[in-house]
Amino acid sequence: MVTWTSVEEELLSLAGSVPDPELPVLTLEELGVVRGVDVSEPEGRVTVRLTPTYTGCPAIEAMSADIERVLHNHGVAEVTVQTVLSPAWSTDDISPEGRRKLAEFGIAPPRPHDAASDGPVPLTLSVRCPHCGSTDTELLSRFSSTACKALRRCVACQEPFDHFKEL
Ligand SMILES: [Zn+2]
């Protein structure tokens, strides 16, 4: 017998397997943006809760369309993707596997916030170069290939790299 819970778990892992439209090496699950799946009985309508990486992120539209397509292909007739703004996504939501992939891809993973301190995040965070590890990096552009990332350059090795904006 299939319980609704296992169906929801299956749908959640399907929705989470969708690649990030901006960074296809990462799945939405690894990015931490899929918050949950609800199945309403008896119609079987599926609602996926998705949190954008920042308010107004244009990638949310592509993510929603991809999730709808994957679930449609899996036989779900009615899919609604609901944007959930609270609690807000933070770079802490990126899974350890997601951080590893980001580093492999030459993108500086955002540093996990210090869980012990609830105080304001210092503005002088150094961004480490994913190529040589130097923290001597400079901001080239606040917007790189996508609005969610900034383009930086390493002063030590001169290599440019994308950096997820701190949220
Ligand atoms: Zn470097």
Short mmCIF file of all heavy atoms in Angstrom, two decimals, residues 84-153:
data_model
loop_
_atom_site.label_atom_id
_atom_site.label_comp_id
_atom_site.label_asym_id
_atom_site.label_seq_id
_atom_site.Cartn_x
_atom_site.Cartn_y
_atom_site.Cartn_z
N VAL A 84 7.88 30.44 -1.96
CA VAL A 84 7.83 30.70 -0.52
C VAL A 84 8.99 31.63 -0.18
O VAL A 84 10.15 31.29 -0.42
CB VAL A 84 7.95 29.39 0.27
CG1 VAL A 84 7.92 29.65 1.76
CG2 VAL A 84 6.85 28.42 -0.13
N LEU A 85 8.68 32.78 0.35
CA LEU A 85 9.74 33.75 0.64
C LEU A 85 10.22 33.68 2.08
O LEU A 85 11.27 34.20 2.43
CB LEU A 85 9.26 35.17 0.33
CG LEU A 85 8.94 35.43 -1.14
CD1 LEU A 85 8.43 36.85 -1.32
CD2 LEU A 85 10.14 35.17 -2.03
N SER A 86 9.45 33.00 2.93
CA SER A 86 9.82 32.93 4.34
C SER A 86 9.71 31.50 4.84
O SER A 86 8.67 30.86 4.63
CB SER A 86 8.90 33.84 5.15
OG SER A 86 9.23 33.77 6.51
N PRO A 87 10.71 30.92 5.49
CA PRO A 87 12.00 31.57 5.78
C PRO A 87 12.84 31.73 4.51
O PRO A 87 12.79 30.88 3.64
CB PRO A 87 12.66 30.59 6.75
CG PRO A 87 12.06 29.26 6.42
CD PRO A 87 10.65 29.54 5.96
N ALA A 88 13.55 32.83 4.44
CA ALA A 88 14.32 33.15 3.26
C ALA A 88 15.44 32.13 3.06
O ALA A 88 15.98 31.58 4.02
CB ALA A 88 14.91 34.55 3.37
N TRP A 89 15.77 31.88 1.79
CA TRP A 89 16.89 31.02 1.47
C TRP A 89 18.16 31.73 1.90
O TRP A 89 18.27 32.96 1.81
CB TRP A 89 16.93 30.77 -0.04
CG TRP A 89 18.05 29.89 -0.49
CD1 TRP A 89 18.04 28.53 -0.55
CD2 TRP A 89 19.32 30.30 -0.99
NE1 TRP A 89 19.25 28.08 -1.04
CE2 TRP A 89 20.05 29.14 -1.31
CE3 TRP A 89 19.94 31.55 -1.18
CZ2 TRP A 89 21.35 29.18 -1.81
CZ3 TRP A 89 21.23 31.59 -1.67
CH2 TRP A 89 21.92 30.41 -1.99
N SER A 90 19.11 30.96 2.40
CA SER A 90 20.42 31.56 2.64
C SER A 90 21.46 30.60 2.08
O SER A 90 21.16 29.44 1.78
CB SER A 90 20.65 31.80 4.14
OG SER A 90 21.28 30.68 4.73
N THR A 91 22.65 31.10 1.93
CA THR A 91 23.69 30.25 1.36
C THR A 91 23.99 29.06 2.27
O THR A 91 24.59 28.09 1.84
CB THR A 91 24.97 31.08 1.12
OG1 THR A 91 25.25 31.85 2.29
CG2 THR A 91 24.79 32.02 -0.06
N ASP A 92 23.54 29.13 3.54
CA ASP A 92 23.68 27.99 4.45
C ASP A 92 22.86 26.78 3.98
O ASP A 92 23.10 25.66 4.41
CB ASP A 92 23.22 28.37 5.86
CG ASP A 92 24.14 29.39 6.51
OD1 ASP A 92 25.25 29.61 5.99
OD2 ASP A 92 23.73 29.98 7.52
N ASP A 93 21.86 27.05 3.14
CA ASP A 93 20.99 25.96 2.68
C ASP A 93 21.65 25.09 1.62
O ASP A 93 21.12 24.05 1.25
CB ASP A 93 19.67 26.53 2.13
CG ASP A 93 18.84 27.19 3.23
OD1 ASP A 93 18.95 26.74 4.39
OD2 ASP A 93 18.09 28.12 2.93
N ILE A 94 22.76 25.53 1.07
CA ILE A 94 23.47 24.72 0.09
C ILE A 94 24.07 23.52 0.81
O ILE A 94 24.73 23.67 1.83
CB ILE A 94 24.58 25.53 -0.62
CG1 ILE A 94 23.97 26.74 -1.34
CG2 ILE A 94 25.34 24.66 -1.61
CD1 ILE A 94 24.98 27.65 -1.99
N SER A 95 23.82 22.33 0.28
CA SER A 95 24.27 21.10 0.95
C SER A 95 25.78 20.97 0.83
O SER A 95 26.40 21.58 -0.04
CB SER A 95 23.59 19.89 0.32
OG SER A 95 24.13 19.66 -0.96
N PRO A 96 26.40 20.17 1.72
CA PRO A 96 27.85 19.95 1.63
C PRO A 96 28.26 19.45 0.24
O PRO A 96 29.27 19.88 -0.31
CB PRO A 96 28.12 18.89 2.70
CG PRO A 96 27.01 19.06 3.69
CD PRO A 96 25.81 19.49 2.88
N GLU A 97 27.45 18.56 -0.33
CA GLU A 97 27.73 18.07 -1.68
C GLU A 97 27.65 19.22 -2.69
O GLU A 97 28.47 19.32 -3.61
CB GLU A 97 26.72 16.97 -2.04
CG GLU A 97 26.82 16.42 -3.45
CD GLU A 97 28.09 15.61 -3.70
OE1 GLU A 97 28.89 15.43 -2.75
OE2 GLU A 97 28.30 15.18 -4.85
N GLY A 98 26.68 20.10 -2.50
CA GLY A 98 26.54 21.26 -3.37
C GLY A 98 27.76 22.18 -3.28
O GLY A 98 28.25 22.69 -4.29
N ARG A 99 28.28 22.37 -2.06
CA ARG A 99 29.47 23.21 -1.88
C ARG A 99 30.69 22.60 -2.56
O ARG A 99 31.50 23.29 -3.18
CB ARG A 99 29.78 23.36 -0.38
CG ARG A 99 28.85 24.28 0.31
CD ARG A 99 29.03 24.24 1.82
NE ARG A 99 27.84 24.80 2.43
CZ ARG A 99 27.63 26.10 2.56
NH1 ARG A 99 28.55 26.94 2.20
NH2 ARG A 99 26.51 26.54 3.06
N ARG A 100 30.79 21.26 -2.46
CA ARG A 100 31.93 20.57 -3.07
C ARG A 100 31.88 20.76 -4.60
O ARG A 100 32.87 21.05 -5.24
CB ARG A 100 31.88 19.09 -2.71
CG ARG A 100 33.17 18.33 -2.98
CD ARG A 100 32.99 16.83 -2.79
NE ARG A 100 31.94 16.27 -3.64
CZ ARG A 100 32.08 16.06 -4.94
NH1 ARG A 100 33.20 16.34 -5.53
NH2 ARG A 100 31.07 15.57 -5.65
N LYS A 101 30.66 20.61 -5.17
CA LYS A 101 30.50 20.76 -6.62
C LYS A 101 30.82 22.18 -7.07
O LYS A 101 31.41 22.40 -8.11
CB LYS A 101 29.08 20.39 -7.03
CG LYS A 101 28.80 18.90 -7.04
CD LYS A 101 27.44 18.68 -7.66
CE LYS A 101 27.08 17.20 -7.70
NZ LYS A 101 25.70 17.04 -8.22
N LEU A 102 30.39 23.15 -6.27
CA LEU A 102 30.65 24.55 -6.61
C LEU A 102 32.16 24.79 -6.68
O LEU A 102 32.66 25.43 -7.61
CB LEU A 102 30.04 25.49 -5.56
CG LEU A 102 28.55 25.74 -5.65
CD1 LEU A 102 28.10 26.60 -4.48
CD2 LEU A 102 28.19 26.42 -6.95
N ALA A 103 32.89 24.27 -5.71
CA ALA A 103 34.34 24.45 -5.67
C ALA A 103 34.98 23.78 -6.88
O ALA A 103 35.88 24.32 -7.52
CB ALA A 103 34.91 23.89 -4.38
N GLU A 104 34.46 22.58 -7.21
CA GLU A 104 34.99 21.84 -8.36
C GLU A 104 34.74 22.62 -9.65
O GLU A 104 35.52 22.56 -10.59
CB GLU A 104 34.24 20.50 -8.44
CG GLU A 104 35.10 19.31 -8.76
CD GLU A 104 34.32 18.03 -8.49
OE1 GLU A 104 33.26 17.87 -9.12
OE2 GLU A 104 34.77 17.23 -7.66
N PHE A 105 33.64 23.34 -9.69
CA PHE A 105 33.22 24.06 -10.87
C PHE A 105 33.92 25.41 -10.97
O PHE A 105 33.70 26.18 -11.88
CB PHE A 105 31.70 24.25 -10.79
CG PHE A 105 31.02 24.50 -12.09
CD1 PHE A 105 31.15 23.60 -13.14
CD2 PHE A 105 30.21 25.61 -12.28
CE1 PHE A 105 30.50 23.81 -14.35
CE2 PHE A 105 29.56 25.83 -13.47
CZ PHE A 105 29.71 24.94 -14.51
N GLY A 106 34.78 25.71 -10.01
CA GLY A 106 35.50 26.98 -10.04
C GLY A 106 34.70 28.14 -9.50
O GLY A 106 34.96 29.28 -9.81
N ILE A 107 33.70 27.83 -8.70
CA ILE A 107 32.90 28.89 -8.09
C ILE A 107 33.14 28.86 -6.59
O ILE A 107 33.07 27.81 -5.97
CB ILE A 107 31.40 28.67 -8.38
CG1 ILE A 107 31.15 28.82 -9.87
CG2 ILE A 107 30.55 29.64 -7.58
CD1 ILE A 107 29.76 28.46 -10.30
N ALA A 108 33.51 29.98 -6.05
CA ALA A 108 33.79 30.04 -4.62
C ALA A 108 32.52 29.76 -3.85
O ALA A 108 31.56 30.51 -3.96
CB ALA A 108 34.36 31.41 -4.26
N PRO A 109 32.47 28.66 -3.10
CA PRO A 109 31.26 28.40 -2.31
C PRO A 109 31.13 29.44 -1.23
O PRO A 109 32.13 29.86 -0.66
CB PRO A 109 31.50 27.01 -1.70
CG PRO A 109 32.78 26.52 -2.27
CD PRO A 109 33.52 27.69 -2.83
N PRO A 110 29.90 29.87 -0.97
CA PRO A 110 29.72 30.83 0.12
C PRO A 110 30.13 30.19 1.42
O PRO A 110 29.96 28.99 1.60
CB PRO A 110 28.23 31.12 0.09
CG PRO A 110 27.61 29.99 -0.65
CD PRO A 110 28.65 29.45 -1.57
N ARG A 111 30.72 30.95 2.30
CA ARG A 111 31.13 30.37 3.57
C ARG A 111 29.91 30.19 4.45
O ARG A 111 29.05 31.06 4.52
CB ARG A 111 32.16 31.27 4.26
CG ARG A 111 32.26 32.65 3.68
CD ARG A 111 33.25 33.50 4.41
NE ARG A 111 34.60 33.20 3.99
CZ ARG A 111 35.64 33.22 4.80
NH1 ARG A 111 35.48 33.50 6.07
NH2 ARG A 111 36.85 32.99 4.35
N PRO A 112 29.85 29.04 5.14
CA PRO A 112 28.72 28.85 6.06
C PRO A 112 28.80 29.90 7.15
O PRO A 112 29.89 30.22 7.62
CB PRO A 112 28.96 27.45 6.63
CG PRO A 112 30.05 26.85 5.84
CD PRO A 112 30.80 27.94 5.17
N HIS A 113 27.66 30.43 7.52
CA HIS A 113 27.68 31.41 8.59
C HIS A 113 28.07 30.74 9.89
O HIS A 113 27.78 29.57 10.11
CB HIS A 113 26.30 32.06 8.73
CG HIS A 113 25.92 32.85 7.52
ND1 HIS A 113 24.62 33.13 7.19
CD2 HIS A 113 26.67 33.38 6.54
CE1 HIS A 113 24.59 33.82 6.06
NE2 HIS A 113 25.82 33.99 5.64
N ASP A 114 28.71 31.47 10.74
CA ASP A 114 29.10 30.94 12.04
C ASP A 114 27.83 30.72 12.85
O ASP A 114 27.15 31.65 13.24
CB ASP A 114 30.01 31.96 12.73
CG ASP A 114 30.59 31.38 14.01
OD1 ASP A 114 30.12 30.30 14.42
OD2 ASP A 114 31.50 31.99 14.57
N ALA A 115 27.54 29.45 13.09
CA ALA A 115 26.29 29.12 13.77
C ALA A 115 26.27 29.65 15.20
O ALA A 115 25.22 29.87 15.77
CB ALA A 115 26.08 27.61 13.77
N ALA A 116 27.46 29.84 15.78
CA ALA A 116 27.53 30.25 17.17
C ALA A 116 27.18 31.73 17.36
O ALA A 116 26.76 32.13 18.43
CB ALA A 116 28.92 29.98 17.73
N SER A 117 27.35 32.52 16.31
CA SER A 117 27.09 33.94 16.48
C SER A 117 25.84 34.37 15.74
O SER A 117 25.67 34.06 14.57
CB SER A 117 28.29 34.76 15.97
OG SER A 117 28.25 34.88 14.58
N ASP A 118 24.97 35.04 16.46
CA ASP A 118 23.76 35.55 15.83
C ASP A 118 23.94 37.01 15.44
O ASP A 118 23.03 37.64 14.93
CB ASP A 118 22.57 35.43 16.79
CG ASP A 118 22.17 33.97 16.98
OD1 ASP A 118 22.31 33.22 16.01
OD2 ASP A 118 21.76 33.60 18.09
N GLY A 119 25.10 37.53 15.68
CA GLY A 119 25.34 38.94 15.42
C GLY A 119 25.43 39.23 13.94
O GLY A 119 25.33 38.32 13.11
N PRO A 120 25.60 40.49 13.60
CA PRO A 120 25.69 40.87 12.19
C PRO A 120 26.93 40.26 11.53
O PRO A 120 27.97 40.08 12.18
CB PRO A 120 25.79 42.40 12.23
CG PRO A 120 26.15 42.74 13.63
CD PRO A 120 25.68 41.62 14.51
N VAL A 121 26.79 39.92 10.27
CA VAL A 121 27.90 39.32 9.55
C VAL A 121 28.91 40.42 9.22
O VAL A 121 28.54 41.46 8.69
CB VAL A 121 27.39 38.67 8.24
CG1 VAL A 121 28.55 38.08 7.44
CG2 VAL A 121 26.36 37.60 8.55
N PRO A 122 30.18 40.21 9.56
CA PRO A 122 31.16 41.26 9.26
C PRO A 122 31.24 41.52 7.76
O PRO A 122 31.08 40.61 6.95
CB PRO A 122 32.47 40.69 9.79
CG PRO A 122 32.21 39.29 10.19
CD PRO A 122 30.74 39.05 10.24
N LEU A 123 31.44 42.76 7.40
CA LEU A 123 31.44 43.13 5.99
C LEU A 123 32.77 42.83 5.32
O LEU A 123 32.91 42.97 4.12
CB LEU A 123 31.14 44.63 5.86
CG LEU A 123 29.71 45.02 6.26
CD1 LEU A 123 29.56 46.53 6.30
CD2 LEU A 123 28.71 44.41 5.31
N THR A 124 33.76 42.44 6.10
CA THR A 124 35.09 42.27 5.55
C THR A 124 35.42 40.80 5.29
O THR A 124 36.55 40.39 5.41
CB THR A 124 36.14 42.85 6.51
OG1 THR A 124 35.90 42.30 7.82
CG2 THR A 124 36.05 44.36 6.59
N LEU A 125 34.39 40.01 4.95
CA LEU A 125 34.64 38.61 4.63
C LEU A 125 35.58 38.53 3.43
O LEU A 125 35.37 39.18 2.42
CB LEU A 125 33.33 37.91 4.26
CG LEU A 125 32.35 37.64 5.38
CD1 LEU A 125 31.08 37.02 4.81
CD2 LEU A 125 32.96 36.72 6.41
N SER A 126 36.61 37.73 3.57
CA SER A 126 37.48 37.57 2.42
C SER A 126 36.94 36.41 1.59
O SER A 126 36.42 35.43 2.10
CB SER A 126 38.91 37.29 2.86
OG SER A 126 38.93 36.18 3.71
N VAL A 127 37.04 36.55 0.29
CA VAL A 127 36.56 35.53 -0.62
C VAL A 127 37.77 34.78 -1.16
O VAL A 127 38.71 35.38 -1.68
CB VAL A 127 35.75 36.15 -1.78
CG1 VAL A 127 35.33 35.06 -2.76
CG2 VAL A 127 34.53 36.87 -1.23
N ARG A 128 37.73 33.47 -0.98
CA ARG A 128 38.89 32.65 -1.35
C ARG A 128 38.84 32.27 -2.82
O ARG A 128 37.80 31.89 -3.35
CB ARG A 128 38.89 31.40 -0.47
CG ARG A 128 40.16 30.58 -0.53
CD ARG A 128 40.11 29.44 0.47
NE ARG A 128 40.14 29.90 1.85
CZ ARG A 128 41.29 30.16 2.51
NH1 ARG A 128 42.44 30.00 1.92
NH2 ARG A 128 41.24 30.55 3.75
N CYS A 129 39.97 32.38 -3.49
CA CYS A 129 40.06 31.98 -4.90
C CYS A 129 39.91 30.46 -5.01
O CYS A 129 40.63 29.73 -4.34
CB CYS A 129 41.40 32.41 -5.47
SG CYS A 129 41.76 31.69 -7.09
N PRO A 130 38.95 29.99 -5.86
CA PRO A 130 38.77 28.54 -5.98
C PRO A 130 39.91 27.87 -6.75
O PRO A 130 40.03 26.65 -6.76
CB PRO A 130 37.44 28.41 -6.72
CG PRO A 130 37.30 29.70 -7.47
CD PRO A 130 38.01 30.75 -6.67
N HIS A 131 40.75 28.67 -7.42
CA HIS A 131 41.83 28.09 -8.23
C HIS A 131 43.09 27.86 -7.39
O HIS A 131 43.67 26.79 -7.41
CB HIS A 131 42.16 29.00 -9.42
CG HIS A 131 40.96 29.27 -10.27
ND1 HIS A 131 40.37 28.31 -11.07
CD2 HIS A 131 40.23 30.40 -10.44
CE1 HIS A 131 39.33 28.85 -11.69
NE2 HIS A 131 39.21 30.11 -11.33
N CYS A 132 43.54 28.88 -6.65
CA CYS A 132 44.79 28.74 -5.92
C CYS A 132 44.61 28.88 -4.41
O CYS A 132 45.55 28.66 -3.65
CB CYS A 132 45.82 29.75 -6.43
SG CYS A 132 45.45 31.45 -5.93
N GLY A 133 43.42 29.25 -3.96
CA GLY A 133 43.18 29.32 -2.52
C GLY A 133 43.56 30.65 -1.88
O GLY A 133 43.38 30.82 -0.68
N SER A 134 44.08 31.59 -2.67
CA SER A 134 44.44 32.88 -2.10
C SER A 134 43.19 33.65 -1.68
O SER A 134 42.14 33.55 -2.32
CB SER A 134 45.22 33.69 -3.14
OG SER A 134 45.33 35.03 -2.71
N THR A 135 43.30 34.39 -0.59
CA THR A 135 42.17 35.22 -0.18
C THR A 135 42.34 36.65 -0.70
O THR A 135 41.54 37.52 -0.39
CB THR A 135 42.03 35.25 1.35
OG1 THR A 135 43.29 35.63 1.92
CG2 THR A 135 41.61 33.90 1.89
N ASP A 136 43.38 36.87 -1.48
CA ASP A 136 43.63 38.20 -2.05
C ASP A 136 42.87 38.30 -3.37
O ASP A 136 43.42 38.07 -4.44
CB ASP A 136 45.14 38.39 -2.25
CG ASP A 136 45.48 39.85 -2.56
OD1 ASP A 136 44.57 40.69 -2.53
OD2 ASP A 136 46.65 40.12 -2.84
N THR A 137 41.58 38.62 -3.28
CA THR A 137 40.75 38.67 -4.48
C THR A 137 40.04 40.01 -4.54
O THR A 137 39.83 40.66 -3.51
CB THR A 137 39.70 37.54 -4.49
OG1 THR A 137 38.83 37.69 -3.36
CG2 THR A 137 40.36 36.17 -4.45
N GLU A 138 39.68 40.42 -5.74
CA GLU A 138 39.00 41.70 -5.88
C GLU A 138 37.72 41.54 -6.67
O GLU A 138 37.59 40.63 -7.50
CB GLU A 138 39.93 42.71 -6.58
CG GLU A 138 40.35 42.26 -7.98
CD GLU A 138 41.40 43.16 -8.60
OE1 GLU A 138 41.85 44.08 -7.91
OE2 GLU A 138 41.75 42.92 -9.76
N LEU A 139 36.78 42.44 -6.41
CA LEU A 139 35.50 42.41 -7.09
C LEU A 139 35.64 43.07 -8.45
O LEU A 139 36.10 44.20 -8.57
CB LEU A 139 34.47 43.17 -6.24
CG LEU A 139 33.03 43.14 -6.72
CD1 LEU A 139 32.45 41.74 -6.65
CD2 LEU A 139 32.19 44.09 -5.87
N LEU A 140 35.26 42.32 -9.52
CA LEU A 140 35.30 42.91 -10.86
C LEU A 140 33.94 43.50 -11.21
O LEU A 140 33.85 44.57 -11.77
CB LEU A 140 35.65 41.84 -11.90
CG LEU A 140 37.09 41.36 -11.98
CD1 LEU A 140 37.23 40.43 -13.17
CD2 LEU A 140 38.05 42.53 -12.12
N SER A 141 32.91 42.73 -10.90
CA SER A 141 31.58 43.17 -11.27
C SER A 141 30.60 42.59 -10.28
O SER A 141 30.74 41.43 -9.87
CB SER A 141 31.23 42.69 -12.68
OG SER A 141 29.84 42.79 -12.89
N ARG A 142 29.62 43.36 -9.88
CA ARG A 142 28.63 42.86 -8.96
C ARG A 142 27.74 41.82 -9.61
O ARG A 142 27.11 41.02 -8.96
CB ARG A 142 27.79 44.01 -8.41
CG ARG A 142 28.45 44.71 -7.23
CD ARG A 142 27.88 46.08 -7.01
NE ARG A 142 26.42 46.10 -7.01
CZ ARG A 142 25.68 45.65 -6.00
NH1 ARG A 142 26.23 45.14 -4.94
NH2 ARG A 142 24.37 45.71 -6.06
N PHE A 143 27.67 41.84 -10.93
CA PHE A 143 26.85 40.88 -11.64
C PHE A 143 27.72 40.16 -12.66
O PHE A 143 28.39 40.79 -13.46
CB PHE A 143 25.69 41.56 -12.36
CG PHE A 143 24.77 42.26 -11.41
CD1 PHE A 143 24.88 43.61 -11.20
CD2 PHE A 143 23.82 41.54 -10.70
CE1 PHE A 143 24.04 44.26 -10.31
CE2 PHE A 143 22.99 42.17 -9.80
CZ PHE A 143 23.09 43.54 -9.60
N SER A 144 27.74 38.84 -12.60
CA SER A 144 28.51 38.11 -13.59
C SER A 144 27.55 37.45 -14.56
O SER A 144 26.65 38.10 -15.07
CB SER A 144 29.44 37.11 -12.92
OG SER A 144 28.69 36.08 -12.33
N SER A 145 27.75 36.15 -14.84
CA SER A 145 26.90 35.47 -15.82
C SER A 145 25.44 35.50 -15.42
O SER A 145 24.55 35.50 -16.26
CB SER A 145 27.38 34.02 -15.99
OG SER A 145 27.49 33.40 -14.72
N THR A 146 25.18 35.53 -14.14
CA THR A 146 23.80 35.63 -13.68
C THR A 146 23.73 36.65 -12.58
O THR A 146 24.75 36.98 -11.96
CB THR A 146 23.28 34.29 -13.12
OG1 THR A 146 23.89 34.09 -11.85
CG2 THR A 146 23.61 33.12 -14.03
N ALA A 147 22.54 37.13 -12.32
CA ALA A 147 22.37 38.18 -11.32
C ALA A 147 22.66 37.68 -9.91
O ALA A 147 22.88 38.47 -9.02
CB ALA A 147 20.96 38.75 -11.41
N CYS A 148 22.66 36.36 -9.72
CA CYS A 148 22.85 35.82 -8.36
C CYS A 148 24.32 35.72 -7.99
O CYS A 148 24.64 35.42 -6.86
CB CYS A 148 22.22 34.44 -8.24
SG CYS A 148 20.48 34.40 -8.68
N LYS A 149 25.20 35.93 -8.93
CA LYS A 149 26.62 35.76 -8.63
C LYS A 149 27.39 37.03 -8.97
O LYS A 149 26.97 37.81 -9.81
CB LYS A 149 27.19 34.58 -9.42
CG LYS A 149 26.57 33.24 -9.04
CD LYS A 149 27.36 32.05 -9.57
CE LYS A 149 27.28 31.91 -11.06
NZ LYS A 149 25.95 31.58 -11.54
N ALA A 150 28.51 37.21 -8.32
CA ALA A 150 29.38 38.33 -8.61
C ALA A 150 30.65 37.80 -9.27
O ALA A 150 31.06 36.67 -9.02
CB ALA A 150 29.74 39.05 -7.31
N LEU A 151 31.22 38.62 -10.13
CA LEU A 151 32.47 38.21 -10.78
C LEU A 151 33.64 38.81 -10.02
O LEU A 151 33.69 40.02 -9.77
CB LEU A 151 32.48 38.67 -12.24
CG LEU A 151 33.70 38.22 -13.05
CD1 LEU A 151 33.75 36.71 -13.19
CD2 LEU A 151 33.67 38.87 -14.44
N ARG A 152 34.57 37.94 -9.61
CA ARG A 152 35.75 38.40 -8.89
C ARG A 152 36.99 37.94 -9.64
O ARG A 152 36.93 37.06 -10.49
CB ARG A 152 35.78 37.84 -7.47
CG ARG A 152 34.60 38.27 -6.63
CD ARG A 152 34.78 37.80 -5.20
NE ARG A 152 35.82 38.54 -4.49
CZ ARG A 152 35.61 39.64 -3.78
NH1 ARG A 152 34.40 40.13 -3.67
NH2 ARG A 152 36.60 40.24 -3.16
N ARG A 153 38.13 38.54 -9.29
CA ARG A 153 39.39 38.09 -9.86
C ARG A 153 40.38 37.91 -8.73
O ARG A 153 40.42 38.70 -7.79
CB ARG A 153 39.93 39.10 -10.87
CG ARG A 153 41.22 38.58 -11.55
CD ARG A 153 41.65 39.48 -12.68
NE ARG A 153 41.87 40.84 -12.18
CZ ARG A 153 41.85 41.93 -12.94
NH1 ARG A 153 41.59 41.82 -14.22
NH2 ARG A 153 42.05 43.12 -12.43
#
